[in-house]
Amino acid sequence: MKNKLMNLVYGVMLASVIFSCKKSENVTPDDANKTANKITATVTPIGTVIYTSAGYKLTFTNKEATFDDQERQNFVNAFFTVYPQMANRFNTSATKNVTFIVDPAYNGVAATSNDITTFSPAWFKSNPADYDVVTHEVMHIVQAYPGGVPGWLTEGLADYSRYKFGVNNANAGWSLPAWSSSQKYTDSYRVTARFFAWLELHVNSSILNNLNSICHNGSYTSNTWVQLTGKTVDQLWAQYSASPAL
């Protein structure tokens, strides 16, 4: 679609341009909803773009001059595709205002604090297909746990969400690992995510929703697993290890 200049704001000679997304930027998977859920954006001359769609707002700040524009679009598309789905499933009170910062001073892959996720441009220059990192990170925003939740559980559920909602995992070469006797549920990330996927399939289809609610409410304890399943997490892991097929 052609960009349409709607008005000039910001005084002090700064221009604000409101435009509809290109067809390739449309993030609604359902063709019937494409017209209703177009993305609009307000562009400032300081590297920040504010995208809105269906009540959600993404503030995207890029501090890296060489960050690929297609990758920016991939981030935006992924956010508007997966975040509403995960919020609808796991936390309907999750914030609808999220900030992404692409920062060359950050040396990791990505990190989330409150409603802000920081990304390393160097990582995505080398791994451009890995933009479902967005899916993992924004699940942390949905989680918004108040504390007292083990890190392995938090990260495991975030990678489970990437497995369940991700939009480009196969092209990125990302998948859940096969079970191994050397693994433990406390290994976190994909190992724990596979365990969670197995629990959902073989123990209780609503267990992860219930587990997330307990964590979100700040009432998680080691006894939570017994409350949800009648078994300790160690007993569940032993059951999984005996028959780990998904």
Side-chain angles (χ1 to χ4, degrees), residues 4-92:
K4 296 181 180 179
L5 181 63
M6 302 295 293
N7 57 0
L8 294 176
V9 293
Y10 281 94
V12 199
M13 301 181 67
L14 295 180
S16 176
V17 182
I18 310 297
F19 60 89
S20 297
C21 67
K22 299 175 183 177
K23 184 176 181 181
S24 62
E25 289 181 304
N26 196 306
V27 298
T28 306
D30 182 355
D31 288 343
N33 293 329
K34 282 184 178 179
T35 301
N37 288 335
K38 294 175 182 176
I39 299 175
T40 61
T42 302
V43 182
T44 76
I46 56 172
T48 294
V49 184
I50 299 175
Y51 299 88
T52 61
S53 180
Y56 289 89
K57 174 181 174 183
L58 175 64
T59 300
F60 192 110
T61 296
N62 176 29
K63 297 181 179 181
E64 172 55 69
T66 64
F67 188 66
D68 185 75
D69 192 60
Q70 180 60 56
E71 196 73 345
R72 172 204 57 80
Q73 183 170 305
N74 292 339
F75 278 31
V76 173
N77 289 357
F79 171 78
F80 283 105
T81 298
V82 304
Y83 188 79
Q85 295 181 63
M86 295 191 297
N88 184 62
R89 176 175 173 181
F90 290 112
N91 179 11
T92 56

Coordinates of all heavy atoms in Angstrom, one line a residue, residues 4-92:
K4 N 0.4 7.2 3.2 CA -0.4 8.4 3.1 C 0.0 9.4 4.2 O 0.0 9.1 5.3 CB -1.9 8.0 3.2 CG -2.4 7.1 2.1 CD -3.9 6.8 2.3 CE -4.3 5.9 1.1 NZ -5.8 5.6 1.3
L5 N 0.3 10.6 3.7 CA 0.6 11.6 4.7 C -0.6 12.2 5.3 O -1.5 12.7 4.5 CB 1.4 12.7 4.0 CG 1.9 13.9 4.9 CD1 2.8 13.3 6.0 CD2 2.6 14.9 4.0
M6 N -0.8 12.0 6.6 CA -2.1 12.4 7.2 C -2.0 13.8 7.8 O -2.9 14.5 7.7 CB -2.5 11.3 8.3 CG -2.6 9.9 7.7 SD -4.0 9.8 6.5 CE -5.4 10.0 7.6
N7 N -0.9 14.0 8.5 CA -0.8 15.4 9.2 C 0.6 15.6 9.6 O 1.4 14.7 9.5 CB -1.8 15.4 10.4 CG -1.5 14.4 11.4 OD1 -0.6 13.5 11.2 ND2 -2.3 14.4 12.5
L8 N 0.8 16.8 10.0 CA 2.1 17.2 10.5 C 2.0 17.6 12.0 O 1.1 18.4 12.3 CB 2.7 18.4 9.7 CG 3.1 18.1 8.3 CD1 3.6 19.4 7.6 CD2 4.2 17.0 8.2
V9 N 2.7 16.9 12.8 CA 2.7 17.2 14.3 C 4.1 17.4 14.8 O 5.0 17.7 14.0 CB 2.0 16.1 15.0 CG1 0.5 16.0 14.6 CG2 2.6 14.8 14.8
Y10 N 4.2 17.3 16.1 CA 5.5 17.4 16.8 C 6.1 18.8 16.8 O 7.2 19.0 17.2 CB 6.6 16.5 16.1 CG 6.4 15.1 16.6 CD1 5.6 14.2 15.8 CD2 7.0 14.6 17.8 CE1 5.4 12.9 16.2 CE2 6.8 13.3 18.2 CZ 6.0 12.4 17.4 OH 5.8 11.2 17.8
G11 N 5.4 19.8 16.2 CA 6.0 21.2 16.2 C 7.5 21.1 15.9 O 8.0 20.2 15.3
V12 N 8.2 22.1 16.3 CA 9.6 22.1 16.2 C 10.1 21.4 14.9 O 11.1 20.8 14.8 CB 10.4 21.5 17.4 CG1 11.8 22.0 17.4 CG2 9.6 21.8 18.7
M13 N 9.3 21.5 13.8 CA 9.6 21.1 12.5 C 9.9 19.6 12.4 O 10.6 19.1 11.6 CB 10.9 21.8 11.9 CG 10.7 23.3 11.9 SD 12.1 24.2 11.2 CE 12.1 23.6 9.5
L14 N 9.2 18.7 13.3 CA 9.4 17.3 13.2 C 8.1 16.8 12.5 O 7.0 17.1 12.8 CB 9.5 16.7 14.6 CG 10.7 17.0 15.3 CD1 10.7 16.3 16.7 CD2 12.0 16.6 14.6
A15 N 8.3 15.8 11.6 CA 7.2 15.3 10.8 C 6.7 14.0 11.3 O 7.5 13.2 11.7 CB 7.6 15.1 9.3
S16 N 5.4 13.8 11.4 CA 4.8 12.6 11.8 C 4.0 12.0 10.7 O 3.1 12.7 10.2 CB 3.9 12.8 13.1 OG 3.3 11.6 13.4
V17 N 4.3 10.8 10.2 CA 3.6 10.2 9.1 C 2.8 9.0 9.5 O 3.4 8.1 10.1 CB 4.7 9.8 8.0 CG1 4.0 9.3 6.8 CG2 5.5 11.0 7.6
I18 N 1.5 9.0 9.2 CA 0.7 7.9 9.5 C 0.5 7.1 8.3 O 0.1 7.6 7.2 CB -0.7 8.3 10.0 CG1 -0.5 9.4 11.1 CG2 -1.5 7.2 10.5 CD1 0.2 8.9 12.4
F19 N 0.8 5.8 8.3 CA 0.7 5.0 7.1 C 0.2 3.6 7.4 O 0.4 3.1 8.5 CB 2.0 4.9 6.3 CG 3.1 4.3 7.0 CD1 3.4 3.0 6.9 CD2 4.0 5.1 7.8 CE1 4.4 2.4 7.6 CE2 5.1 4.5 8.4 CZ 5.3 3.2 8.3
S20 N -0.4 3.0 6.4 CA -0.9 1.6 6.5 C 0.3 0.7 6.1 O 1.2 1.1 5.4 CB -2.1 1.3 5.6 OG -3.2 2.1 6.0
C21 N 0.3 -0.5 6.6 CA 1.4 -1.4 6.3 C 1.3 -1.9 4.9 O 0.3 -1.9 4.2 CB 1.3 -2.6 7.3 SG -0.1 -3.7 7.0
K22 N 2.4 -2.4 4.4 CA 2.5 -3.1 3.1 C 1.8 -4.5 3.3 O 1.6 -5.0 4.4 CB 3.9 -3.3 2.7 CG 4.7 -2.0 2.5 CD 6.1 -2.4 2.2 CE 7.0 -1.1 2.0 NZ 8.4 -1.4 1.8
K23 N 1.4 -5.1 2.2 CA 0.8 -6.4 2.3 C 1.6 -7.4 3.1 O 1.1 -8.2 3.9 CB 0.5 -6.9 0.9 CG -0.3 -8.2 0.9 CD -0.6 -8.7 -0.5 CE -1.4 -10.0 -0.5 NZ -1.7 -10.4 -1.9
S24 N 2.9 -7.3 2.8 CA 3.8 -8.3 3.5 C 3.9 -8.0 5.0 O 4.4 -8.8 5.8 CB 5.2 -8.2 2.9 OG 5.8 -6.9 3.1
E25 N 3.5 -6.8 5.5 CA 3.5 -6.5 6.9 C 2.3 -6.9 7.6 O 2.2 -6.8 8.8 CB 3.8 -5.0 7.1 CG 5.2 -4.6 6.7 CD 5.4 -3.1 7.0 OE1 4.6 -2.3 6.5 OE2 6.3 -2.7 7.7
N26 N 1.2 -7.4 6.8 CA 0.0 -7.7 7.5 C 0.2 -9.0 8.3 O 0.7 -10.0 7.8 CB -1.1 -8.0 6.4 CG -2.5 -8.0 7.0 OD1 -2.7 -8.8 8.0 ND2 -3.3 -7.2 6.5
V27 N -0.1 -8.9 9.6 CA 0.3 -9.9 10.5 C -0.9 -10.8 11.0 O -0.8 -11.6 11.8 CB 0.9 -9.4 11.8 CG1 2.2 -8.6 11.4 CG2 0.0 -8.4 12.5
T28 N -2.1 -10.6 10.3 CA -3.3 -11.3 10.7 C -3.3 -12.6 9.9 O -3.4 -12.5 8.7 CB -4.6 -10.5 10.5 OG1 -4.5 -9.3 11.1 CG2 -5.8 -11.3 11.0
P29 N -3.2 -13.8 10.5 CA -3.2 -15.0 9.7 C -4.5 -15.4 9.1 O -4.5 -16.1 8.1 CB -2.8 -16.1 10.8 CG -3.2 -15.5 12.1 CD -3.1 -14.0 11.9
D30 N -5.6 -14.9 9.6 CA -6.9 -15.2 9.1 C -7.2 -14.2 8.0 O -7.4 -13.0 8.2 CB -7.9 -15.1 10.2 CG -9.3 -15.5 9.7 OD1 -9.5 -15.7 8.5 OD2 -10.2 -15.6 10.6
D31 N -7.4 -14.6 6.7 CA -7.6 -13.7 5.6 C -8.9 -12.8 5.9 O -8.9 -11.7 5.4 CB -7.8 -14.5 4.3 CG -6.5 -15.0 3.8 OD1 -5.4 -14.6 4.3 OD2 -6.5 -15.9 3.0
A32 N -9.8 -13.4 6.5 CA -11.1 -12.7 6.8 C -10.9 -11.5 7.6 O -11.7 -10.5 7.7 CB -12.1 -13.6 7.4
N33 N -9.8 -11.5 8.4 CA -9.6 -10.4 9.4 C -8.5 -9.4 8.9 O -8.2 -8.4 9.6 CB -9.2 -10.9 10.7 CG -10.3 -11.7 11.4 OD1 -11.4 -11.4 11.2 ND2 -9.9 -12.7 12.2
K34 N -8.0 -9.6 7.7 CA -6.9 -8.7 7.3 C -7.3 -7.3 7.2 O -6.5 -6.4 7.6 CB -6.4 -9.2 5.9 CG -5.5 -10.5 6.0 CD -5.0 -10.9 4.6 CE -4.1 -12.1 4.8 NZ -3.5 -12.5 3.5
T35 N -8.4 -7.0 6.7 CA -8.8 -5.6 6.6 C -9.0 -4.9 7.9 O -8.5 -3.8 8.1 CB -10.1 -5.4 5.8 OG1 -9.9 -6.0 4.5 CG2 -10.5 -4.0 5.6
A36 N -9.5 -5.6 8.9 CA -9.8 -5.1 10.2 C -8.5 -4.8 11.0 O -8.5 -4.0 11.9 CB -10.8 -6.0 10.9
N37 N -7.5 -5.6 10.7 CA -6.3 -5.6 11.6 C -5.1 -5.1 10.9 O -4.0 -5.6 11.2 CB -6.1 -7.0 12.2 CG -7.1 -7.3 13.2 OD1 -7.7 -6.5 13.8 ND2 -7.4 -8.6 13.4
K38 N -5.2 -4.1 10.0 CA -4.0 -3.5 9.4 C -3.2 -2.8 10.5 O -3.7 -2.3 11.5 CB -4.4 -2.5 8.3 CG -5.1 -3.2 7.1 CD -5.5 -2.1 6.2 CE -6.3 -2.7 5.0 NZ -6.8 -1.7 4.1
I39 N -1.9 -2.8 10.3 CA -1.0 -2.1 11.2 C -0.8 -0.7 10.7 O -0.6 -0.5 9.5 CB 0.4 -2.8 11.3 CG1 0.2 -4.2 11.7 CG2 1.4 -2.0 12.1 CD1 1.5 -5.0 11.7
T40 N -0.9 0.2 11.6 CA -0.5 1.6 11.3 C 0.8 2.0 12.1 O 1.1 1.3 13.1 CB -1.6 2.6 11.6 OG1 -1.9 2.6 13.0 CG2 -2.9 2.3 10.9
A41 N 1.5 3.0 11.7 CA 2.7 3.3 12.4 C 2.9 4.8 12.3 O 2.6 5.5 11.4 CB 3.9 2.6 11.7
T42 N 3.5 5.3 13.4 CA 3.9 6.7 13.5 C 5.4 6.7 13.5 O 6.0 6.2 14.4 CB 3.4 7.4 14.8 OG1 1.9 7.3 14.8 CG2 3.8 8.8 14.9
V43 N 6.0 7.3 12.5 CA 7.4 7.3 12.4 C 8.0 8.6 12.9 O 7.6 9.7 12.4 CB 7.8 7.1 10.9 CG1 9.3 7.0 10.8 CG2 7.2 5.8 10.4
T44 N 9.0 8.6 13.7 CA 9.7 9.8 14.2 C 11.1 9.8 13.5 O 11.6 8.7 13.1 CB 9.9 9.8 15.7 OG1 10.9 8.9 16.1 CG2 8.6 9.5 16.4
P45 N 11.8 10.9 13.5 CA 13.1 11.0 12.8 C 14.2 10.5 13.7 O 15.4 10.8 13.5 CB 13.2 12.4 12.4 CG 12.5 13.1 13.5 CD 11.3 12.3 13.8
I46 N 13.9 9.9 14.9 CA 15.0 9.5 15.8 C 15.1 8.0 16.0 O 15.6 7.5 17.0 CB 14.8 10.2 17.2 CG1 13.4 9.8 17.7 CG2 14.9 11.7 17.0 CD1 13.2 10.3 19.2
G47 N 14.7 7.2 15.0 CA 14.9 5.8 15.0 C 13.8 5.0 15.8 O 14.0 3.9 16.1
T48 N 12.7 5.7 16.1 CA 11.6 5.0 16.8 C 10.3 5.0 15.9 O 10.0 6.0 15.3 CB 11.3 5.8 18.1 OG1 12.4 5.6 19.0 CG2 10.0 5.1 18.8
V49 N 9.7 3.8 15.8 CA 8.5 3.6 15.1 C 7.4 3.1 16.1 O 7.8 2.2 16.9 CB 8.6 2.6 14.0 CG1 7.3 2.5 13.2 CG2 9.8 3.0 13.1
I50 N 6.3 3.6 16.1 CA 5.2 3.2 17.0 C 4.1 2.5 16.1 O 3.5 3.1 15.3 CB 4.6 4.3 17.8 CG1 5.6 4.9 18.7 CG2 3.4 3.8 18.6 CD1 5.1 6.2 19.4
Y51 N 4.0 1.2 16.3 CA 3.0 0.4 15.5 C 1.8 0.1 16.4 O 1.9 -0.1 17.6 CB 3.6 -0.9 15.1 CG 4.8 -0.9 14.2 CD1 6.1 -0.8 14.8 CD2 4.7 -0.9 12.8 CE1 7.2 -0.7 14.0 CE2 5.8 -0.8 12.0 CZ 7.1 -0.7 12.6 OH 8.2 -0.7 11.8
T52 N 0.6 0.2 15.8 CA -0.6 -0.2 16.5 C -1.4 -1.2 15.6 O -1.5 -1.0 14.4 CB -1.5 1.0 16.8 OG1 -1.9 1.7 15.6 CG2 -0.7 2.0 17.7
S53 N -2.1 -2.1 16.3 CA -3.0 -3.0 15.6 C -3.9 -3.7 16.6 O -3.4 -4.2 17.6 CB -2.2 -4.1 14.8 OG -3.0 -5.0 14.2
A54 N -5.2 -3.6 16.3 CA -6.2 -4.3 17.1 C -6.0 -4.0 18.6 O -6.2 -4.9 19.4 CB -6.1 -5.8 16.8
G55 N -5.7 -2.8 19.0 CA -5.6 -2.5 20.4 C -4.2 -2.7 21.0 O -4.0 -2.3 22.1
Y56 N -3.3 -3.3 20.2 CA -2.0 -3.5 20.7 C -1.0 -2.4 20.1 O -1.2 -2.0 19.0 CB -1.5 -4.9 20.4 CG -2.2 -6.0 21.1 CD1 -3.3 -6.5 20.6 CD2 -1.6 -6.4 22.3 CE1 -4.0 -7.5 21.4 CE2 -2.3 -7.4 23.1 CZ -3.5 -7.9 22.6 OH -4.1 -8.9 23.3
K57 N 0.0 -2.1 20.9 CA 0.9 -1.0 20.5 C 2.4 -1.5 20.7 O 2.7 -2.1 21.8 CB 0.7 0.2 21.4 CG 1.8 1.3 21.2 CD 1.5 2.5 22.1 CE 2.5 3.6 22.1 NZ 2.2 4.7 23.0
L58 N 3.2 -1.4 19.7 CA 4.6 -1.8 19.8 C 5.4 -0.6 19.4 O 5.4 0.0 18.4 CB 4.9 -2.9 18.8 CG 6.4 -3.3 18.7 CD1 6.9 -3.9 20.0 CD2 6.6 -4.3 17.5
T59 N 6.3 -0.2 20.4 CA 7.2 0.9 20.2 C 8.5 0.3 19.9 O 9.1 -0.4 20.7 CB 7.3 1.8 21.5 OG1 6.1 2.4 21.8 CG2 8.3 2.9 21.2
F60 N 9.0 0.6 18.7 CA 10.2 -0.1 18.2 C 11.3 1.0 18.0 O 11.2 1.9 17.2 CB 9.9 -0.7 16.8 CG 11.0 -1.7 16.3 CD1 10.8 -3.0 16.3 CD2 12.2 -1.2 15.9 CE1 11.7 -3.9 15.8 CE2 13.2 -2.1 15.5 CZ 13.0 -3.4 15.4
T61 N 12.4 0.8 18.8 CA 13.5 1.8 18.8 C 14.7 1.0 18.2 O 15.2 0.0 18.8 CB 13.8 2.4 20.1 OG1 12.7 3.2 20.6 CG2 15.1 3.3 20.1
N62 N 15.3 1.5 17.2 CA 16.5 0.9 16.6 C 17.7 1.8 16.8 O 17.6 3.0 16.3 CB 16.2 0.7 15.1 CG 17.4 0.1 14.4 OD1 18.3 -0.5 15.0 ND2 17.6 0.4 13.1
K63 N 18.7 1.3 17.4 CA 19.9 2.1 17.7 C 21.1 1.6 16.8 O 22.2 2.1 17.0 CB 20.3 2.0 19.1 CG 19.3 2.6 20.1 CD 19.7 2.5 21.5 CE 18.7 3.0 22.5 NZ 19.2 3.0 23.9
E64 N 20.8 0.8 15.9 CA 21.8 0.2 15.0 C 21.6 0.6 13.5 O 20.6 0.1 12.9 CB 21.9 -1.3 15.1 CG 22.8 -2.0 14.1 CD 24.2 -1.5 14.2 OE1 24.9 -1.7 15.2 OE2 24.6 -0.8 13.2
A65 N 22.4 1.4 13.0 CA 22.2 2.0 11.6 C 22.2 0.9 10.6 O 21.5 1.1 9.5 CB 23.3 3.0 11.3
T66 N 22.8 -0.2 10.8 CA 22.9 -1.3 9.8 C 21.9 -2.4 10.0 O 21.9 -3.4 9.3 CB 24.3 -1.9 9.7 OG1 24.6 -2.5 10.9 CG2 25.3 -0.8 9.4
F67 N 21.0 -2.2 11.0 CA 20.0 -3.3 11.2 C 19.1 -3.4 10.0 O 18.5 -2.5 9.5 CB 19.2 -2.9 12.5 CG 18.3 -4.0 12.9 CD1 18.8 -5.2 13.4 CD2 16.9 -3.9 12.8 CE1 18.0 -6.2 13.8 CE2 16.0 -4.9 13.3 CZ 16.6 -6.1 13.8
D68 N 19.0 -4.7 9.5 CA 18.2 -4.9 8.3 C 16.8 -4.6 8.4 O 16.1 -5.0 9.4 CB 18.4 -6.4 7.9 CG 17.8 -6.7 6.6 OD1 18.4 -6.4 5.6 OD2 16.7 -7.3 6.6
D69 N 16.2 -3.9 7.4 CA 14.8 -3.5 7.5 C 13.9 -4.7 7.4 O 12.8 -4.7 8.0 CB 14.5 -2.5 6.4 CG 13.2 -1.8 6.6 OD1 13.0 -1.1 7.7 OD2 12.3 -2.0 5.8
Q70 N 14.3 -5.7 6.7 CA 13.4 -6.9 6.6 C 13.3 -7.6 8.0 O 12.3 -8.1 8.4 CB 14.0 -7.9 5.6 CG 13.2 -9.2 5.5 CD 11.7 -8.9 5.0 OE1 11.5 -8.3 4.0 NE2 10.8 -9.4 5.8
E71 N 14.4 -7.6 8.7 CA 14.4 -8.1 10.1 C 13.5 -7.3 11.0 O 12.8 -7.9 11.8 CB 15.8 -8.2 10.7 CG 16.0 -9.1 11.9 CD 15.9 -10.6 11.5 OE1 15.5 -11.0 10.4 OE2 16.2 -11.4 12.3
R72 N 13.6 -6.0 10.9 CA 12.6 -5.2 11.6 C 11.2 -5.6 11.3 O 10.3 -5.8 12.2 CB 12.8 -3.7 11.3 CG 11.7 -2.8 11.9 CD 11.5 -1.5 11.1 NE 11.2 -1.7 9.7 CZ 10.0 -2.0 9.3 NH1 9.0 -2.2 10.1 NH2 9.8 -2.2 8.0
Q73 N 10.9 -5.8 10.1 CA 9.5 -6.2 9.7 C 9.2 -7.6 10.2 O 8.1 -7.8 10.7 CB 9.4 -6.2 8.2 CG 8.0 -6.5 7.7 CD 7.9 -6.3 6.2 OE1 8.1 -5.2 5.7 NE2 7.5 -7.3 5.4
N74 N 10.2 -8.5 10.2 CA 9.9 -9.8 10.8 C 9.6 -9.7 12.3 O 8.7 -10.4 12.8 CB 11.2 -10.7 10.6 CG 11.4 -11.0 9.2 OD1 10.5 -11.0 8.3 ND2 12.7 -11.4 8.9
F75 N 10.3 -8.9 13.0 CA 10.0 -8.7 14.5 C 8.6 -8.2 14.7 O 7.9 -8.7 15.5 CB 11.0 -7.6 15.0 CG 12.4 -8.2 15.4 CD1 12.9 -9.2 14.7 CD2 13.1 -7.6 16.5 CE1 14.2 -9.7 15.1 CE2 14.3 -8.0 16.8 CZ 14.9 -9.1 16.1
V76 N 8.2 -7.2 13.9 CA 6.9 -6.6 14.0 C 5.8 -7.6 13.7 O 4.9 -7.7 14.4 CB 6.8 -5.3 13.1 CG1 5.4 -4.8 13.1 CG2 7.8 -4.2 13.6
N77 N 6.0 -8.3 12.6 CA 5.0 -9.3 12.2 C 4.9 -10.4 13.3 O 3.7 -10.8 13.6 CB 5.4 -10.0 10.9 CG 5.3 -9.0 9.7 OD1 4.8 -7.9 9.8 ND2 5.7 -9.5 8.5
A78 N 6.0 -10.8 13.8 CA 6.0 -11.9 14.8 C 5.2 -11.4 16.1 O 4.4 -12.1 16.6 CB 7.4 -12.3 15.2
F79 N 5.5 -10.2 16.5 CA 4.9 -9.6 17.7 C 3.4 -9.6 17.5 O 2.6 -10.1 18.4 CB 5.4 -8.2 18.0 CG 4.6 -7.6 19.1 CD1 4.8 -7.9 20.4 CD2 3.6 -6.6 18.8 CE1 4.1 -7.3 21.4 CE2 2.9 -6.0 19.8 CZ 3.1 -6.3 21.1
F80 N 2.9 -9.0 16.5 CA 1.4 -8.9 16.3 C 0.7 -10.2 16.0 O -0.5 -10.3 16.2 CB 1.1 -7.8 15.2 CG 1.3 -6.4 15.7 CD1 2.4 -5.7 15.3 CD2 0.4 -5.8 16.6 CE1 2.6 -4.4 15.8 CE2 0.6 -4.5 17.0 CZ 1.7 -3.8 16.6
T81 N 1.5 -11.2 15.6 CA 0.9 -12.5 15.4 C 0.8 -13.3 16.7 O -0.2 -13.9 17.0 CB 1.8 -13.3 14.4 OG1 1.7 -12.6 13.1 CG2 1.2 -14.7 14.2
V82 N 1.9 -13.3 17.4 CA 1.9 -14.3 18.6 C 1.5 -13.6 19.9 O 0.9 -14.3 20.7 CB 3.3 -14.9 18.8 CG1 3.8 -15.6 17.5 CG2 4.4 -13.8 19.2
Y83 N 1.8 -12.4 20.1 CA 1.5 -11.8 21.4 C 0.1 -11.8 21.8 O -0.3 -12.2 22.9 CB 2.1 -10.4 21.5 CG 2.0 -9.8 22.9 CD1 2.9 -10.1 23.9 CD2 1.0 -8.8 23.2 CE1 2.9 -9.6 25.2 CE2 1.0 -8.3 24.5 CZ 1.9 -8.6 25.5 OH 1.8 -8.1 26.7
P84 N -0.8 -11.4 20.9 CA -2.3 -11.4 21.3 C -2.7 -12.9 21.6 O -3.6 -13.1 22.5 CB -3.0 -10.9 20.0 CG -2.0 -10.0 19.4 CD -0.7 -10.7 19.6
Q85 N -2.2 -13.8 20.8 CA -2.6 -15.2 21.1 C -2.2 -15.7 22.5 O -2.9 -16.3 23.2 CB -2.0 -16.2 20.0 CG -2.5 -15.9 18.6 CD -1.8 -16.9 17.7 OE1 -2.0 -18.1 17.7 NE2 -1.0 -16.4 16.7
M86 N -0.9 -15.4 22.8 CA -0.4 -15.8 24.1 C -1.1 -15.1 25.3 O -1.4 -15.6 26.3 CB 1.1 -15.6 24.2 CG 1.8 -16.5 23.2 SD 3.6 -16.6 23.4 CE 4.1 -14.9 23.0
A87 N -1.3 -13.8 25.1 CA -2.0 -13.0 26.1 C -3.4 -13.6 26.3 O -3.9 -13.7 27.4 CB -2.1 -11.5 25.7
N88 N -4.1 -13.9 25.2 CA -5.4 -14.5 25.3 C -5.5 -15.8 26.0 O -6.4 -16.1 26.8 CB -6.0 -14.6 23.9 CG -7.5 -15.1 23.9 OD1 -8.4 -14.4 24.4 ND2 -7.7 -16.3 23.4
R89 N -4.4 -16.6 25.9 CA -4.4 -17.9 26.5 C -3.9 -17.8 28.0 O -4.5 -18.4 28.9 CB -3.5 -18.9 25.8 CG -3.3 -20.2 26.5 CD -2.6 -21.2 25.7 NE -2.3 -22.4 26.5 CZ -1.7 -23.5 26.1 NH1 -1.1 -23.5 24.9 NH2 -1.5 -24.5 27.0
F90 N -2.8 -17.0 28.2 CA -2.2 -17.1 29.5 C -2.4 -15.9 30.4 O -2.2 -16.0 31.6 CB -0.7 -17.2 29.3 CG -0.2 -18.6 28.7 CD1 0.3 -18.7 27.5 CD2 -0.4 -19.7 29.5 CE1 0.7 -19.9 26.9 CE2 0.0 -21.0 29.0 CZ 0.5 -21.1 27.7
N91 N -2.8 -14.7 29.9 CA -2.9 -13.6 30.8 C -3.7 -12.5 30.0 O -3.1 -11.6 29.4 CB -1.6 -13.1 31.2 CG -1.7 -11.9 32.1 OD1 -2.7 -11.5 32.6 ND2 -0.5 -11.2 32.4
T92 N -5.0 -12.5 30.2 CA -5.8 -11.5 29.4 C -5.6 -10.1 30.0 O -6.0 -9.1 29.3 CB -7.3 -11.8 29.5 OG1 -7.7 -11.9 30.9 CG2 -7.6 -13.1 28.8

